[in-house]
Amino acid sequence: MPDVVRTRHGATVLMCAPDGPKIADEQSAVDLIGTLWGQDVQWLVLPVDRLPEDFFVLRTRVAGAVVQKLQQYGFRVAVVGDISEQVAASTALRDFVHESNRGRQLWFVTDEAELDARLENAA
């Protein structure tokens, strides 16, 4: 299944396919951005399957590097999938997810229904 651009609740969203290449560092984030050249995408929706396990270990700085690069190019990011196991294992990750979900730039949501509810409320 390929990545696909859709409009959801008034926002243009790139729905990344779960089976695509991992977004594991700044270069892979730039590669993803390159596929969007000329499109007016506001949100990048990344399934948990597209992220390496290191993304959820904050001391590796993978999450910070990837998210910062995507945001530098003006994209908001939603990570979709169950990360309850990783959150339970890390106080730092739990706090990061909580603070991110309070903002408007980076969200961690369980599924597309939760994403739609957040996008609808943000519109």
Side-chain angles (χ1 to χ4, degrees):
M1 175 167 111
D3 298 347
V4 63
V5 176
R6 293 190 180 144
T7 300
R8 294 177 89 127
H9 302 285
T12 307
V13 176
L14 173 70
M15 301 295 297
C16 291
D19 58 351
K22 297 277 187 194
I23 311 300
D25 54 24
E26 287 182 49
Q27 185 57 54
S28 55
V30 170
D31 292 344
L32 177 62
I33 292 165
T35 68
L36 297 171
W37 194 255
Q39 298 185 61
D40 186 27
V41 171
Q42 299 159 313
W43 282 91
L44 301 179
V45 178
L46 304 175
V48 170
D49 293 341
R50 290 284 292 269
L51 301 170
E53 193 59 37
D54 282 353
F55 185 92
F56 302 103
V57 180
L58 296 183
R59 72 177 173 272
T60 66
R61 298 188 172 146
V62 172
V66 168
V67 170
Q68 181 179 14
K69 184 58 67 176
L70 296 173
Q71 289 179 345
Q72 281 176 337
Y73 282 86
F75 297 104
R76 297 176 188 177
V77 179
V79 175
V80 178
D82 182 11
I83 61 167
S84 57
E85 198 172 294
Q86 293 94 327
V87 167
S90 170
T91 302
L93 180 61
R94 183 194 68 220
D95 293 346
F96 179 66
V97 168
H98 177 75
E99 287 302 314
S100 296
N101 282 343
R102 292 179 57 188
R104 301 181 67 106
Q105 299 297 315
L106 173 63
W107 295 337
F108 292 85
V109 296
T110 307
D111 54 30
E112 287 188 36
E114 186 179 351
L115 172 65
D116 284 334
R118 301 252 356 220
L119 288 170
E120 186 174 26
N121 290 330

